[in-house]
Amino acid sequence: ELDHRNTLQDLGLGRMAAKEKPFVGRPLMNRPSHLAEDRWSLVGFESLEPEKPLRGGSILFHDGAERVGHGEGYLTSITKSPELGKTIALGLFKGGLAHAGKTVVAAYPLKGEEVRLKIVSPHFIDQQGERLNA
């Protein structure tokens, strides 16, 4: 999910950045435009239509919004979770987890496919760290 358009904060990794030492990306991280709350940031997705396939690169739109342009984000990765017994996805979405619980549509125009998704935390397993710290 990390590319030339994202910062560590966008991916929820900002606290891992060195506070005092310089590193590649620090100037980018501190630009006012990269601190905006409505930036695309990492979120998780659960399918509300598990019988339909999810495709990486699908464009994300608010439920009910017209399907034109670049949308509000895109799916970056999809996998079947043996732990959860369902397909889960990660993606970048404008405003990030401020939209948790809301329904969005993942559109894949090359095949004319659309799937309704729910925005969730990108931490699908052990969100409180109970297993990690057992």
Side-chain angles (χ1 to χ4, degrees), residues 44-65:
F45 296 96
E46 292 180 353
S47 179
L48 298 175
E49 301 174 294
E51 70 283 357
K52 293 184 177 180
L54 283 177
R55 300 188 188 275
S58 292
I59 304 168
L60 301 169
F61 297 93
H62 287 285
D63 198 14

Side-chain angles (χ1 to χ4, degrees), residues 16 18 21 24 42 45 48 76-77 108 110-111 130 132:
M16 294 178 69
K21 298 189 311 189
V24 173
L42 187 67
F45 296 96
L48 298 175
T76 58
S77 56
Y108 194 74
L110 293 175
K111 294 196 177 245
E130 294 168 358
L132 175 68

